[in-house]
Amino acid sequence: MIEPRTLKGFRDLLPAQALAREKILDIARRIYRSYGFAPIDTPALEYLEILTGKGSAETDKQLYSFTDHGDRRVGMRFDLTVPFARFAAQHIATLGTPFKRYHMATVWRGENTQRGRYREFMQCDFDTIGTTSPVADLETVLVVHDLLVAIGIKRFTIRVNDRRILGGVLRSAGLAERSTDVLRSLDKLGKQSLDAVVDEMAGHGVPADVARRLVAMAALAGPPAEVLAAVEPLVGDDAVGREGIAAVRTLLDGVAQAGVAEGRVVVDPSIARGLDYYTGIVLESFLDELPTLGSICSGGRYDDLAGLYTKQRLPGVGASLGIDRLLAGLEELGRLATAETPAEVFLVHFDAAHLGDYLRIAAALRADGMTVEFFPEARRLGQQLKLAAKKGFRVALVIGTDEFARGTAQLKNLATEATTTIAWEGDLAALVDAVHSHLEAIRSDH
RNA sequence: GUGGCUGUAGCUCAGUUGGUUAGAGCACUAGAUUGUGAUUCUAGGGGUCGCGGGUUCGAGUCCCGUCAGCCACCCCA
C-alpha cells in the first residue's frame, strides 16, 4: 500500500478551506474588475531563461526547474510578475497602453516553509503598465484598500513609502553604494531592536551616528504629514528624493479625496521591499491583529517591467494579494467561515414515494437561484437534520407524508433551530417564494 | 539551504526512573426512539505510538537517521 501524503509545503484544501479561498477569489475578481482590470492567464511552465534572468540569486535558488521530455530547460513560475513581463513584451503591441490586467494563479517556490508560507500558493496580482501617471499609483492603493475592506477585514494598515526617498536619504548620507545592505538592515526594524539594526549597519561600514539617524527615520510613525516632514531634512537637496516625497504627498491627498478612512494608509519609511525592480512608491499591508504574519498584499511602482524581453519601455505599478497567507491569518483569528457546503437549502429526503415531488421542488428552488442539496437517501429525519446542521446549510426543508397531505412544509433555520410552517397547498411558486423570503431574512441577519 | 523545538485514535491530550494485550474526553457508527438536530444509556469501529534503524531480556519512553509541522536566520505572499 502506498502511504497517501503530500509534499512539504504543498497542501490539500478541504471543502471549508477551498470554499473560503474561492470566496476571497470572487471578491478580488469583483474589486479588480470594478477598476477596469482585465483577466489574463499565462502558463505555469516557462522556458528557464525567462524566469532566471529577472529575479535575484535568491529567487533563482527557489525556482523549481527541470528538463522536459523535449530536452528543454523549463521552470515553474515563482511569481506572476515575471511571466507578466514576458507576456507584455510579447503582446503589448496588440494590447496598447495603458494596459490593466489581473491574474490570479498558483506559483511555486522551493523555500523553507513557515506559518503562512508554503511552497505552492496563490497570488492575485493586478498591474497597470504603460503609464507613469500618479493616478495609477493612487488606484493601486485604492484597490488594495477596497479589497481588504470587501473581504471583511476590520483592522488593517497599508504602509506606503517611496524607493526614491530611501535613495535620496542614502545619497545625502553618502551611502549610495551601500544601499542594498542598508535597506536590508532597515527592513528588519519590525523584528529587531533599534540597537541591533544599528550594529548590523555598523558592520556594513556605516558610521554609528548616521546609522542611528537612519534607524530613527525608519522607525518614524504617526500622521503621514508629520512623518514626511521629519524625513524631508534627511533627503536634503537630493532632487530624486524630493520627487519621492512629493509623490507620496500626492498619493496621500488622493487617498483622502477618494474617501479612505484616516489611519488606513500610513507612511512607513522602513518599507523597502526586497525585489530590486521597484523604483517608485512601494506598499505593504498588514493585519493589525497579526503583524508578525507579514505582508498580505504588497507592491509598488517599477520603471520598466519588461526590459529583459523588449526594447519598449513599460513603466507600471501594481500589487499582489497573497491569498494563502491571508487565509492562514484569518483562520488563526477564527474569522473563517466554517461551512462545508456551498448550498444553503437542505431538502430532506423523507418519503421515497414522493421522489418525483422532491425533484420538482428542488428544481423549482434552483430555478429561482437558490442553492439546494437533495439528500440521496431516505434516512432517519434526525440523522439528516444533524448532518445538514454540521455541514453548514442555512435551512432544512422538511416535507413528509403528512405535509404533502396537508399542503404544508416545515422550514428549519439550522442555526437557531427555529421551525416555521409554510402553507403552499401544492402551489410550487408559493413554496419557492416562502423559502426565498425566509432565506433573505436569514442572510440579512448575518 | 542552516539552526532550535515538536510528532501517541478524525480532534484535544494522558501515559510514572524503559516493564504484561496503549488509555480518556470529544467526534463517528448502530440500537433504545416505525417523523425532528438535544440529553441519557448500551454496544461498536478505529492506533505499524510519524517512518526506518540502533541500544536493551524488554522501547510510546533512551540514541541515530529520515519525513512532516512550528520558530529563528535568509527571503518573501
Side-chain angles (χ1 to χ4, degrees):
Chain A
M1 195 93 88
I2 298 164
E3 190 192 346
R5 58 192 186 140
T6 51
L7 253 15
K8 178 184 175 74
F10 290 70
R11 312 157 299 147
D12 289 326
L13 294 190
L14 271 49
Q17 303 165 297
L19 245 14
R21 183 200 256 183
E22 283 195 14
K23 189 174 164 195
I24 291 181
L25 288 174
D26 286 345
I27 293 169
R29 201 176 347 255
R30 197 183 82 225
I31 299 295
Y32 294 163
R33 287 180 179 216
S34 76
Y35 280 78
F37 292 87
I40 69 160
D41 201 8
T42 69
L45 234 45
E46 297 269 2
Y47 280 102
L48 194 59
E49 70 212 50
I50 299 283
L51 300 176
T52 48
K54 190 70 188 174
S56 53
E58 196 68 39
T59 50
D60 287 359
K61 260 179 16 194
Q62 298 176 354
L63 202 63
Y64 280 101
S65 63
F66 57 93
T67 305
D68 77 0
H69 296 4
D71 268 336
R72 285 170 284 254
R73 294 293 298 160
V74 299
M76 294 167 86
R77 63 179 171 220
F78 62 89
D79 71 7
L80 299 178
T81 305
V82 170
F84 180 45
R86 193 225 83 222
F87 173 100
Q90 225 171 309
H91 304 294
I92 198 65
T94 52
L95 296 168
T97 59
F99 175 62
K100 299 165 82 169
R101 68 92 231 226
Y102 71 87
H103 190 187
M104 309 195 294
T106 307
V107 302
W108 297 269
R109 290 183 196 176
E111 67 176 330
N112 234 334
T113 55
Q114 240 174 77
R115 176 181 60 156
R117 276 171 83 151
Y118 312 101
R119 289 185 170 173
E120 177 182 67
F121 59 98
M122 268 191 123
Q123 291 192 321
C124 308
D125 277 35
F126 66 97
D127 286 85
T128 304
I129 59 168
T131 175
T132 54
S133 165
V135 176
D137 294 27
L138 170 61
E139 277 200 345
T140 302
V141 173
L142 293 179
V143 168
V144 171
H145 168 268
D146 288 6
L147 180 56
L148 298 179
V149 168
I151 288 168
I153 301 167
K154 298 277 184 284
R155 313 212 320 114
F156 65 85
T157 304
I158 300 173
R159 302 176 172 276
V160 302
N161 191 22
D162 195 298
R163 271 288 177 89
R164 290 167 291 182
I165 297 179
L166 290 166
V169 170
L170 293 177
R171 274 189 297 276
S172 289
L175 294 169
E177 324 80 56
R178 305 232 77 84
S179 62
T180 313
D181 290 336
V182 173
L183 290 181
R184 190 161 292 164
S185 303
L186 276 185
D187 211 39
K188 291 181 187 165
L189 264 180
K191 295 184 169 183
Q192 292 183 16
S193 72
L194 301 190
D195 290 338
V197 175
V198 170
D199 287 349
E200 187 176 321
M201 284 194 197
H204 294 311
V206 179
D209 60 320
V210 177
R212 210 158 278 290
R213 236 183 304 142
L214 286 175
V215 167
M217 173 204 77
L220 284 171
E226 289 176 23
V227 173
L228 283 175
V231 170
E232 214 163 0
L234 293 166
V235 172
D237 296 330
D238 188 273
V240 175
R242 303 197 77 84
E243 275 175 33
I245 289 186
V248 174
R249 284 219 170 95
T250 305
L251 181 72
L252 290 167
D253 284 349
V255 165
Q257 276 162 358
V260 171
E262 220 170 298
R264 277 281 164 74
V265 179
V266 303
V267 175
D268 181 341
S270 75
I271 301 280
R273 309 281 313 132
L275 296 166
D276 32 35
Y277 52 73
Y278 289 118
T279 53
I281 65 143
V282 285
L283 67 101
E284 295 191 347
S285 31
F286 297 84
L287 301 178
D288 291 353
E289 293 158 279
L290 226 47
T292 56
L293 185 68
S295 175
I296 48 166
C297 190
S298 12
R301 170 166 282 284
Y302 38 85
D303 258 348
D304 190 11
L305 176 74
L308 281 173
Y309 318 107
T310 177
K311 284 185 187 140
Q312 183 171 353
R313 246 186 102 238
L314 289 172
V317 59
S320 177
L321 172 71
I323 188 169
D324 289 298
R325 177 175 288 184
L326 172 62
L327 284 166
L330 292 177
E331 183 170 19
E332 192 170 333
L333 292 171
R335 303 279 163 69
L336 239 40
T338 53
E340 293 165 38
T341 173
E344 293 184 300
V345 180
F346 182 93
L347 179 59
V348 172
H349 190 157
F350 195 101
D351 181 351
H354 278 99
L355 178 60
D357 291 316
Y358 290 127
L359 295 176
R360 224 181 335 274
I361 289 165
L365 295 172
R366 292 190 190 109
D368 183 70
M370 286 180 262
T371 47
V372 184
E373 177 168 332
F374 172 49
F375 200 70
E377 299 170 27
R379 288 230 280 253
R380 281 196 349 230
L381 177 56
Q383 223 176 10
Q384 292 189 53
L385 290 174
K386 194 173 171 188
L387 188 78
K390 181 176 162 264
K391 287 214 172 178
F393 287 88
R394 293 293 178 87
V395 297
L397 188 59
V398 183
I399 311 176
T401 324
D402 295 353
E403 281 84 356
F404 276 119
R406 277 186 242 126
T408 61
Q410 286 181 50
L411 189 68
K412 289 176 173 292
N413 180 330
L414 290 166
T416 64
E417 303 195 9
T419 301
T420 0
T421 301
I422 296 169
W424 58 295
E425 312 287 345
D427 178 0
L428 256 187
L431 179 62
V432 169
D433 279 354
V435 175
H436 187 113
S437 56
H438 274 93
L439 256 187
E440 289 278 296
I442 291 171
R443 284 203 208 102
S444 62
D445 268 5
H446 254 64

